[in-house]
mmCIF file of all heavy atoms in Angstrom:
data_model
loop_
_atom_site.group_PDB
_atom_site.id
_atom_site.type_symbol
_atom_site.label_atom_id
_atom_site.label_comp_id
_atom_site.label_asym_id
_atom_site.label_seq_id
_atom_site.Cartn_x
_atom_site.Cartn_y
_atom_site.Cartn_z
ATOM 1 N N ILE A 489 5.951 -1.370 3.711
ATOM 2 C CA ILE A 489 6.992 -1.181 2.722
ATOM 3 C C ILE A 489 8.284 -0.811 3.478
ATOM 4 O O ILE A 489 8.257 -0.095 4.465
ATOM 5 C CB ILE A 489 6.603 -0.107 1.678
ATOM 6 C CG1 ILE A 489 7.590 -0.027 0.526
ATOM 7 C CG2 ILE A 489 6.434 1.251 2.375
ATOM 8 C CD1 ILE A 489 7.078 0.796 -0.667
ATOM 9 N N ASN A 490 9.430 -1.291 3.005
ATOM 10 C CA ASN A 490 10.670 -0.970 3.652
ATOM 11 C C ASN A 490 11.141 0.424 3.238
ATOM 12 O O ASN A 490 10.543 1.080 2.397
ATOM 13 C CB ASN A 490 11.697 -2.056 3.391
ATOM 14 C CG ASN A 490 12.366 -1.939 2.033
ATOM 15 O OD1 ASN A 490 11.745 -1.505 1.063
ATOM 16 N ND2 ASN A 490 13.628 -2.343 1.927
ATOM 17 N N TRP A 491 12.251 0.835 3.822
ATOM 18 C CA TRP A 491 12.717 2.203 3.642
ATOM 19 C C TRP A 491 13.035 2.559 2.190
ATOM 20 O O TRP A 491 12.839 3.696 1.776
ATOM 21 C CB TRP A 491 13.893 2.490 4.547
ATOM 22 C CG TRP A 491 15.180 1.783 4.160
ATOM 23 C CD1 TRP A 491 15.523 0.522 4.510
ATOM 24 C CD2 TRP A 491 16.237 2.311 3.372
ATOM 25 N NE1 TRP A 491 16.776 0.215 3.981
ATOM 26 C CE2 TRP A 491 17.232 1.303 3.280
ATOM 27 C CE3 TRP A 491 16.482 3.526 2.743
ATOM 28 C CZ2 TRP A 491 18.413 1.473 2.562
ATOM 29 C CZ3 TRP A 491 17.658 3.703 2.026
ATOM 30 C CH2 TRP A 491 18.603 2.697 1.952
ATOM 31 N N ARG A 492 13.569 1.588 1.452
ATOM 32 C CA ARG A 492 13.962 1.825 0.071
ATOM 33 C C ARG A 492 12.819 1.656 -0.890
ATOM 34 O O ARG A 492 12.802 2.251 -1.966
ATOM 35 C CB ARG A 492 15.123 0.948 -0.307
ATOM 36 C CG ARG A 492 15.787 1.283 -1.612
ATOM 37 C CD ARG A 492 17.025 0.409 -1.836
ATOM 38 N NE ARG A 492 18.083 0.721 -0.898
ATOM 39 C CZ ARG A 492 19.200 0.048 -0.793
ATOM 40 N NH1 ARG A 492 19.427 -1.002 -1.580
ATOM 41 N NH2 ARG A 492 20.117 0.413 0.125
ATOM 42 N N GLY A 493 11.836 0.810 -0.516
ATOM 43 C CA GLY A 493 10.661 0.588 -1.340
ATOM 44 C C GLY A 493 10.670 -0.686 -2.170
ATOM 45 O O GLY A 493 9.675 -0.957 -2.825
ATOM 46 N N GLU A 494 11.735 -1.444 -2.129
ATOM 47 C CA GLU A 494 11.818 -2.640 -2.945
ATOM 48 C C GLU A 494 11.184 -3.862 -2.295
ATOM 49 O O GLU A 494 10.942 -4.870 -2.972
ATOM 50 C CB GLU A 494 13.257 -2.945 -3.323
ATOM 51 C CG GLU A 494 14.071 -3.725 -2.297
ATOM 52 C CD GLU A 494 14.689 -2.866 -1.236
ATOM 53 O OE1 GLU A 494 14.194 -1.728 -0.999
ATOM 54 O OE2 GLU A 494 15.709 -3.293 -0.641
ATOM 55 N N LYS A 495 10.866 -3.784 -0.997
ATOM 56 C CA LYS A 495 10.210 -4.873 -0.299
ATOM 57 C C LYS A 495 8.862 -4.394 0.196
ATOM 58 O O LYS A 495 8.751 -3.372 0.859
ATOM 59 C CB LYS A 495 11.050 -5.351 0.882
ATOM 60 C CG LYS A 495 12.354 -6.012 0.478
ATOM 61 C CD LYS A 495 13.072 -6.602 1.685
ATOM 62 C CE LYS A 495 14.355 -7.275 1.258
ATOM 63 N NZ LYS A 495 14.119 -8.461 0.421
ATOM 64 N N THR A 496 7.828 -5.169 -0.160
ATOM 65 C CA THR A 496 6.456 -4.828 0.214
ATOM 66 C C THR A 496 5.795 -6.008 0.881
ATOM 67 O O THR A 496 6.159 -7.179 0.637
ATOM 68 C CB THR A 496 5.629 -4.347 -0.971
ATOM 69 O OG1 THR A 496 5.621 -5.388 -1.975
ATOM 70 C CG2 THR A 496 6.213 -3.082 -1.565
ATOM 71 N N TYR A 497 4.792 -5.746 1.698
ATOM 72 C CA TYR A 497 4.080 -6.745 2.468
ATOM 73 C C TYR A 497 2.585 -6.431 2.447
ATOM 74 O O TYR A 497 2.205 -5.272 2.552
ATOM 75 C CB TYR A 497 4.597 -6.760 3.931
ATOM 76 C CG TYR A 497 6.098 -6.779 4.035
ATOM 77 C CD1 TYR A 497 6.814 -5.571 4.089
ATOM 78 C CD2 TYR A 497 6.811 -7.948 4.108
ATOM 79 C CE1 TYR A 497 8.179 -5.558 4.201
ATOM 80 C CE2 TYR A 497 8.209 -7.951 4.205
ATOM 81 C CZ TYR A 497 8.877 -6.750 4.246
ATOM 82 O OH TYR A 497 10.248 -6.739 4.367
ATOM 83 N N TYR A 498 1.761 -7.481 2.338
ATOM 84 C CA TYR A 498 0.338 -7.270 2.217
ATOM 85 C C TYR A 498 -0.452 -8.260 3.056
ATOM 86 O O TYR A 498 -0.063 -9.430 3.214
ATOM 87 C CB TYR A 498 -0.109 -7.422 0.767
ATOM 88 C CG TYR A 498 0.478 -6.404 -0.181
ATOM 89 C CD1 TYR A 498 1.615 -6.704 -0.924
ATOM 90 C CD2 TYR A 498 -0.093 -5.147 -0.317
ATOM 91 C CE1 TYR A 498 2.146 -5.762 -1.774
ATOM 92 C CE2 TYR A 498 0.460 -4.219 -1.166
ATOM 93 C CZ TYR A 498 1.569 -4.524 -1.908
ATOM 94 O OH TYR A 498 2.110 -3.592 -2.754
ATOM 95 N N ALA A 499 -1.565 -7.787 3.583
ATOM 96 C CA ALA A 499 -2.517 -8.695 4.195
ATOM 97 C C ALA A 499 -3.161 -9.555 3.091
ATOM 98 O O ALA A 499 -3.321 -9.120 1.957
ATOM 99 C CB ALA A 499 -3.605 -7.919 4.930
ATOM 100 N N ASP A 500 -3.462 -10.809 3.449
ATOM 101 C CA ASP A 500 -4.064 -11.708 2.459
ATOM 102 C C ASP A 500 -5.352 -11.148 1.862
ATOM 103 O O ASP A 500 -5.664 -11.404 0.727
ATOM 104 C CB ASP A 500 -4.348 -13.077 3.120
ATOM 105 C CG ASP A 500 -3.077 -13.869 3.388
ATOM 106 O OD1 ASP A 500 -2.017 -13.536 2.802
ATOM 107 O OD2 ASP A 500 -3.142 -14.799 4.192
ATOM 108 N N SER A 501 -6.088 -10.370 2.658
ATOM 109 C CA SER A 501 -7.357 -9.852 2.219
ATOM 110 C C SER A 501 -7.250 -8.821 1.097
ATOM 111 O O SER A 501 -8.233 -8.564 0.413
ATOM 112 C CB SER A 501 -8.144 -9.256 3.397
ATOM 113 O OG SER A 501 -7.394 -8.208 3.989
ATOM 114 N N VAL A 502 -6.068 -8.252 0.924
ATOM 115 C CA VAL A 502 -5.911 -7.183 -0.087
ATOM 116 C C VAL A 502 -4.880 -7.528 -1.142
ATOM 117 O O VAL A 502 -4.733 -6.817 -2.140
ATOM 118 C CB VAL A 502 -5.541 -5.834 0.556
ATOM 119 C CG1 VAL A 502 -6.561 -5.455 1.641
ATOM 120 C CG2 VAL A 502 -4.134 -5.860 1.132
ATOM 121 N N LYS A 503 -4.151 -8.607 -0.949
ATOM 122 C CA LYS A 503 -3.098 -8.973 -1.898
ATOM 123 C C LYS A 503 -3.694 -9.179 -3.296
ATOM 124 O O LYS A 503 -4.677 -9.858 -3.460
ATOM 125 C CB LYS A 503 -2.350 -10.240 -1.428
ATOM 126 C CG LYS A 503 -1.085 -10.507 -2.215
ATOM 127 C CD LYS A 503 -0.307 -11.643 -1.540
ATOM 128 C CE LYS A 503 1.030 -11.867 -2.220
ATOM 129 N NZ LYS A 503 1.819 -12.943 -1.590
ATOM 130 N N GLY A 504 -3.027 -8.585 -4.280
ATOM 131 C CA GLY A 504 -3.512 -8.671 -5.641
ATOM 132 C C GLY A 504 -4.429 -7.518 -6.031
ATOM 133 O O GLY A 504 -4.664 -7.316 -7.236
ATOM 134 N N ARG A 505 -4.942 -6.816 -5.044
ATOM 135 C CA ARG A 505 -5.834 -5.677 -5.310
ATOM 136 C C ARG A 505 -5.226 -4.352 -4.921
ATOM 137 O O ARG A 505 -5.464 -3.316 -5.582
ATOM 138 C CB ARG A 505 -7.162 -5.866 -4.567
ATOM 139 C CG ARG A 505 -7.948 -7.120 -4.961
ATOM 140 C CD ARG A 505 -9.325 -7.129 -4.315
ATOM 141 N NE ARG A 505 -9.260 -7.138 -2.860
ATOM 142 C CZ ARG A 505 -9.771 -6.218 -2.069
ATOM 143 N NH1 ARG A 505 -10.405 -5.182 -2.591
ATOM 144 N NH2 ARG A 505 -9.677 -6.314 -0.757
ATOM 145 N N PHE A 506 -4.459 -4.344 -3.845
ATOM 146 C CA PHE A 506 -3.852 -3.112 -3.339
ATOM 147 C C PHE A 506 -2.364 -3.104 -3.658
ATOM 148 O O PHE A 506 -1.731 -4.188 -3.734
ATOM 149 C CB PHE A 506 -4.012 -2.975 -1.831
ATOM 150 C CG PHE A 506 -5.436 -2.717 -1.378
ATOM 151 C CD1 PHE A 506 -6.526 -2.817 -2.244
ATOM 152 C CD2 PHE A 506 -5.683 -2.354 -0.054
ATOM 153 C CE1 PHE A 506 -7.821 -2.603 -1.796
ATOM 154 C CE2 PHE A 506 -6.960 -2.132 0.395
ATOM 155 C CZ PHE A 506 -8.021 -2.253 -0.477
ATOM 156 N N SER A 507 -1.775 -1.942 -3.782
ATOM 157 C CA SER A 507 -0.361 -1.773 -4.025
ATOM 158 C C SER A 507 0.181 -0.617 -3.209
ATOM 159 O O SER A 507 -0.326 0.507 -3.344
ATOM 160 C CB SER A 507 -0.095 -1.563 -5.527
ATOM 161 O OG SER A 507 1.276 -1.416 -5.781
ATOM 162 N N ILE A 508 1.186 -0.879 -2.400
ATOM 163 C CA ILE A 508 1.838 0.162 -1.618
ATOM 164 C C ILE A 508 3.102 0.608 -2.333
ATOM 165 O O ILE A 508 3.824 -0.164 -2.922
ATOM 166 C CB ILE A 508 2.133 -0.335 -0.186
ATOM 167 C CG1 ILE A 508 2.636 0.801 0.711
ATOM 168 C CG2 ILE A 508 3.132 -1.478 -0.210
ATOM 169 C CD1 ILE A 508 2.773 0.425 2.172
ATOM 170 N N SER A 509 3.368 1.919 -2.273
ATOM 171 C CA SER A 509 4.545 2.479 -2.888
ATOM 172 C C SER A 509 4.952 3.747 -2.130
ATOM 173 O O SER A 509 4.199 4.228 -1.261
ATOM 174 C CB SER A 509 4.343 2.758 -4.374
ATOM 175 O OG SER A 509 3.305 3.729 -4.563
ATOM 176 N N ARG A 510 6.102 4.265 -2.469
ATOM 177 C CA ARG A 510 6.553 5.490 -1.807
ATOM 178 C C ARG A 510 7.427 6.320 -2.750
ATOM 179 O O ARG A 510 8.066 5.773 -3.646
ATOM 180 C CB ARG A 510 7.314 5.181 -0.511
ATOM 181 C CG ARG A 510 8.650 4.481 -0.712
ATOM 182 C CD ARG A 510 9.229 3.955 0.609
ATOM 183 N NE ARG A 510 9.469 5.053 1.519
ATOM 184 C CZ ARG A 510 9.665 4.913 2.840
ATOM 185 N NH1 ARG A 510 9.636 3.688 3.388
ATOM 186 N NH2 ARG A 510 9.924 5.955 3.606
ATOM 187 N N ASP A 511 7.426 7.618 -2.513
ATOM 188 C CA ASP A 511 8.287 8.520 -3.246
ATOM 189 C C ASP A 511 9.044 9.308 -2.209
ATOM 190 O O ASP A 511 8.553 10.278 -1.645
ATOM 191 C CB ASP A 511 7.467 9.454 -4.155
ATOM 192 C CG ASP A 511 8.327 10.308 -5.043
ATOM 193 O OD1 ASP A 511 9.527 10.510 -4.738
ATOM 194 O OD2 ASP A 511 7.796 10.774 -6.091
ATOM 195 N N ASN A 512 10.279 8.880 -1.941
ATOM 196 C CA ASN A 512 11.061 9.493 -0.861
ATOM 197 C C ASN A 512 11.423 10.938 -1.180
ATOM 198 O O ASN A 512 11.580 11.765 -0.262
ATOM 199 C CB ASN A 512 12.307 8.681 -0.566
ATOM 200 C CG ASN A 512 12.007 7.372 0.142
ATOM 201 O OD1 ASN A 512 10.940 7.226 0.749
ATOM 202 N ND2 ASN A 512 12.927 6.430 0.082
ATOM 203 N N ALA A 513 11.581 11.271 -2.446
ATOM 204 C CA ALA A 513 11.879 12.630 -2.824
ATOM 205 C C ALA A 513 10.731 13.580 -2.495
ATOM 206 O O ALA A 513 10.948 14.778 -2.277
ATOM 207 C CB ALA A 513 12.195 12.739 -4.322
ATOM 208 N N LYS A 514 9.501 13.060 -2.411
ATOM 209 C CA LYS A 514 8.331 13.848 -2.086
ATOM 210 C C LYS A 514 7.841 13.610 -0.653
ATOM 211 O O LYS A 514 6.816 14.173 -0.270
ATOM 212 C CB LYS A 514 7.203 13.557 -3.030
ATOM 213 C CG LYS A 514 7.506 13.945 -4.489
ATOM 214 C CD LYS A 514 6.346 13.637 -5.390
ATOM 215 C CE LYS A 514 6.614 14.050 -6.826
ATOM 216 N NZ LYS A 514 5.475 13.753 -7.743
ATOM 217 N N ASN A 515 8.558 12.786 0.105
ATOM 218 C CA ASN A 515 8.115 12.432 1.477
ATOM 219 C C ASN A 515 6.678 11.932 1.501
ATOM 220 O O ASN A 515 5.886 12.317 2.384
ATOM 221 C CB ASN A 515 8.278 13.651 2.406
ATOM 222 C CG ASN A 515 9.695 13.765 2.976
ATOM 223 O OD1 ASN A 515 10.635 13.170 2.461
ATOM 224 N ND2 ASN A 515 9.829 14.579 4.006
ATOM 225 N N THR A 516 6.336 11.053 0.559
ATOM 226 C CA THR A 516 4.947 10.650 0.433
ATOM 227 C C THR A 516 4.848 9.111 0.268
ATOM 228 O O THR A 516 5.639 8.519 -0.472
ATOM 229 C CB THR A 516 4.278 11.329 -0.764
ATOM 230 O OG1 THR A 516 4.347 12.746 -0.619
ATOM 231 C CG2 THR A 516 2.808 10.940 -0.854
ATOM 232 N N LEU A 517 3.885 8.553 0.961
ATOM 233 C CA LEU A 517 3.536 7.151 0.891
ATOM 234 C C LEU A 517 2.202 7.027 0.181
ATOM 235 O O LEU A 517 1.314 7.872 0.372
ATOM 236 C CB LEU A 517 3.446 6.574 2.303
ATOM 237 C CG LEU A 517 2.983 5.111 2.462
ATOM 238 C CD1 LEU A 517 4.095 4.156 2.059
ATOM 239 C CD2 LEU A 517 2.574 4.878 3.893
ATOM 240 N N TYR A 518 2.025 5.970 -0.609
ATOM 241 C CA TYR A 518 0.804 5.767 -1.366
ATOM 242 C C TYR A 518 0.211 4.393 -1.112
ATOM 243 O O TYR A 518 0.895 3.462 -0.784
ATOM 244 C CB TYR A 518 1.039 5.913 -2.876
ATOM 245 C CG TYR A 518 1.655 7.222 -3.284
ATOM 246 C CD1 TYR A 518 3.028 7.334 -3.497
ATOM 247 C CD2 TYR A 518 0.855 8.340 -3.451
ATOM 248 C CE1 TYR A 518 3.577 8.561 -3.892
ATOM 249 C CE2 TYR A 518 1.402 9.561 -3.836
ATOM 250 C CZ TYR A 518 2.758 9.646 -4.066
ATOM 251 O OH TYR A 518 3.323 10.852 -4.423
ATOM 252 N N LEU A 519 -1.100 4.307 -1.297
ATOM 253 C CA LEU A 519 -1.794 3.044 -1.336
ATOM 254 C C LEU A 519 -2.772 3.052 -2.474
ATOM 255 O O LEU A 519 -3.795 3.752 -2.383
ATOM 256 C CB LEU A 519 -2.524 2.758 -0.006
ATOM 257 C CG LEU A 519 -3.198 1.391 0.093
ATOM 258 C CD1 LEU A 519 -2.170 0.278 0.111
ATOM 259 C CD2 LEU A 519 -4.101 1.307 1.313
ATOM 260 N N GLN A 520 -2.480 2.348 -3.533
ATOM 261 C CA GLN A 520 -3.383 2.215 -4.667
ATOM 262 C C GLN A 520 -4.322 1.067 -4.378
ATOM 263 O O GLN A 520 -3.893 -0.067 -4.188
ATOM 264 C CB GLN A 520 -2.598 1.959 -5.950
ATOM 265 C CG GLN A 520 -3.479 1.784 -7.191
ATOM 266 C CD GLN A 520 -4.224 3.027 -7.589
ATOM 267 O OE1 GLN A 520 -3.646 4.113 -7.641
ATOM 268 N NE2 GLN A 520 -5.526 2.911 -7.845
ATOM 269 N N MET A 521 -5.634 1.337 -4.420
ATOM 270 C CA MET A 521 -6.641 0.345 -4.082
ATOM 271 C C MET A 521 -7.508 0.131 -5.294
ATOM 272 O O MET A 521 -8.204 1.059 -5.760
ATOM 273 C CB MET A 521 -7.487 0.779 -2.885
ATOM 274 C CG MET A 521 -6.667 1.144 -1.650
ATOM 275 S SD MET A 521 -7.694 1.519 -0.208
ATOM 276 C CE MET A 521 -8.492 3.017 -0.826
ATOM 277 N N ASN A 522 -7.498 -1.092 -5.848
ATOM 278 C CA ASN A 522 -8.287 -1.460 -6.981
ATOM 279 C C ASN A 522 -9.281 -2.556 -6.621
ATOM 280 O O ASN A 522 -9.125 -3.212 -5.593
ATOM 281 C CB ASN A 522 -7.380 -1.942 -8.126
ATOM 282 C CG ASN A 522 -6.420 -0.898 -8.603
ATOM 283 O OD1 ASN A 522 -6.753 0.275 -8.697
ATOM 284 N ND2 ASN A 522 -5.186 -1.345 -8.968
ATOM 285 N N SER A 523 -10.254 -2.754 -7.479
ATOM 286 C CA SER A 523 -11.290 -3.773 -7.230
ATOM 287 C C SER A 523 -11.849 -3.725 -5.843
ATOM 288 O O SER A 523 -11.946 -4.725 -5.163
ATOM 289 C CB SER A 523 -10.705 -5.164 -7.544
ATOM 290 O OG SER A 523 -10.197 -5.240 -8.859
ATOM 291 N N LEU A 524 -12.231 -2.544 -5.429
ATOM 292 C CA LEU A 524 -12.665 -2.339 -4.057
ATOM 293 C C LEU A 524 -13.964 -3.082 -3.750
ATOM 294 O O LEU A 524 -14.820 -3.200 -4.621
ATOM 295 C CB LEU A 524 -12.851 -0.853 -3.773
ATOM 296 C CG LEU A 524 -11.543 -0.119 -3.534
ATOM 297 C CD1 LEU A 524 -11.740 1.390 -3.698
ATOM 298 C CD2 LEU A 524 -11.004 -0.432 -2.147
ATOM 299 N N LYS A 525 -14.058 -3.581 -2.512
ATOM 300 C CA LYS A 525 -15.198 -4.325 -2.062
ATOM 301 C C LYS A 525 -15.822 -3.598 -0.881
ATOM 302 O O LYS A 525 -15.146 -2.855 -0.182
ATOM 303 C CB LYS A 525 -14.779 -5.734 -1.609
ATOM 304 C CG LYS A 525 -14.031 -6.536 -2.667
ATOM 305 C CD LYS A 525 -13.552 -7.849 -2.106
ATOM 306 C CE LYS A 525 -12.783 -8.635 -3.139
ATOM 307 N NZ LYS A 525 -12.276 -9.913 -2.571
ATOM 308 N N PRO A 526 -17.111 -3.832 -0.612
ATOM 309 C CA PRO A 526 -17.737 -3.198 0.556
ATOM 310 C C PRO A 526 -16.994 -3.485 1.860
ATOM 311 O O PRO A 526 -16.937 -2.607 2.744
ATOM 312 C CB PRO A 526 -19.152 -3.797 0.559
ATOM 313 C CG PRO A 526 -19.420 -4.080 -0.863
ATOM 314 C CD PRO A 526 -18.112 -4.547 -1.430
ATOM 315 N N GLU A 527 -16.414 -4.661 1.989
ATOM 316 C CA GLU A 527 -15.670 -4.979 3.207
ATOM 317 C C GLU A 527 -14.360 -4.215 3.356
ATOM 318 O O GLU A 527 -13.724 -4.306 4.405
ATOM 319 C CB GLU A 527 -15.394 -6.496 3.296
ATOM 320 C CG GLU A 527 -14.766 -7.064 2.039
ATOM 321 C CD GLU A 527 -15.793 -7.739 1.124
ATOM 322 O OE1 GLU A 527 -16.870 -7.140 0.896
ATOM 323 O OE2 GLU A 527 -15.530 -8.856 0.657
ATOM 324 N N ASP A 528 -13.961 -3.460 2.345
ATOM 325 C CA ASP A 528 -12.805 -2.577 2.456
ATOM 326 C C ASP A 528 -13.154 -1.258 3.151
ATOM 327 O O ASP A 528 -12.250 -0.438 3.432
ATOM 328 C CB ASP A 528 -12.230 -2.260 1.081
ATOM 329 C CG ASP A 528 -11.636 -3.480 0.397
ATOM 330 O OD1 ASP A 528 -11.001 -4.294 1.087
ATOM 331 O OD2 ASP A 528 -11.830 -3.619 -0.831
ATOM 332 N N THR A 529 -14.432 -1.020 3.404
ATOM 333 C CA THR A 529 -14.876 0.204 4.088
ATOM 334 C C THR A 529 -14.221 0.313 5.437
ATOM 335 O O THR A 529 -14.370 -0.571 6.281
ATOM 336 C CB THR A 529 -16.398 0.249 4.169
ATOM 337 O OG1 THR A 529 -16.962 0.310 2.874
ATOM 338 C CG2 THR A 529 -16.837 1.457 4.988
ATOM 339 N N ALA A 530 -13.537 1.406 5.706
ATOM 340 C CA ALA A 530 -12.832 1.596 6.967
ATOM 341 C C ALA A 530 -12.151 2.956 6.958
ATOM 342 O O ALA A 530 -12.083 3.635 5.926
ATOM 343 C CB ALA A 530 -11.779 0.498 7.169
ATOM 344 N N VAL A 531 -11.631 3.336 8.125
ATOM 345 C CA VAL A 531 -10.742 4.467 8.219
ATOM 346 C C VAL A 531 -9.343 3.960 8.003
ATOM 347 O O VAL A 531 -8.884 3.058 8.705
ATOM 348 C CB VAL A 531 -10.852 5.185 9.575
ATOM 349 C CG1 VAL A 531 -9.804 6.281 9.689
ATOM 350 C CG2 VAL A 531 -12.251 5.792 9.733
ATOM 351 N N TYR A 532 -8.617 4.528 7.079
ATOM 352 C CA TYR A 532 -7.278 4.101 6.731
ATOM 353 C C TYR A 532 -6.255 5.073 7.290
ATOM 354 O O TYR A 532 -6.358 6.276 7.078
ATOM 355 C CB TYR A 532 -7.101 4.003 5.201
ATOM 356 C CG TYR A 532 -7.772 2.773 4.598
ATOM 357 C CD1 TYR A 532 -9.158 2.716 4.515
ATOM 358 C CD2 TYR A 532 -7.021 1.710 4.118
ATOM 359 C CE1 TYR A 532 -9.783 1.596 3.995
ATOM 360 C CE2 TYR A 532 -7.636 0.600 3.564
ATOM 361 C CZ TYR A 532 -9.023 0.528 3.526
ATOM 362 O OH TYR A 532 -9.641 -0.572 2.950
ATOM 363 N N CYS A 533 -5.256 4.542 8.005
ATOM 364 C CA CYS A 533 -4.207 5.334 8.600
ATOM 365 C C CYS A 533 -2.841 4.884 8.117
ATOM 366 O O CYS A 533 -2.621 3.685 7.942
ATOM 367 C CB CYS A 533 -4.226 5.231 10.137
ATOM 368 S SG CYS A 533 -5.715 5.903 10.906
ATOM 369 N N CYS A 534 -1.955 5.835 7.918
ATOM 370 C CA CYS A 534 -0.566 5.478 7.682
ATOM 371 C C CYS A 534 0.201 5.566 8.994
ATOM 372 O O CYS A 534 -0.210 6.276 9.923
ATOM 373 C CB CYS A 534 0.080 6.362 6.613
ATOM 374 S SG CYS A 534 0.152 8.113 7.011
#
């Protein structure tokens, strides 16, 4: 996600299921993950 949040980029494997967003007032980045699959199992880092 870019600094302002209006541009987002996704790997093909998660597009349509995951959503990245940010709240700059809270200094926080988010990753909403829906329709999770066993192959999504991993350690996730920002």
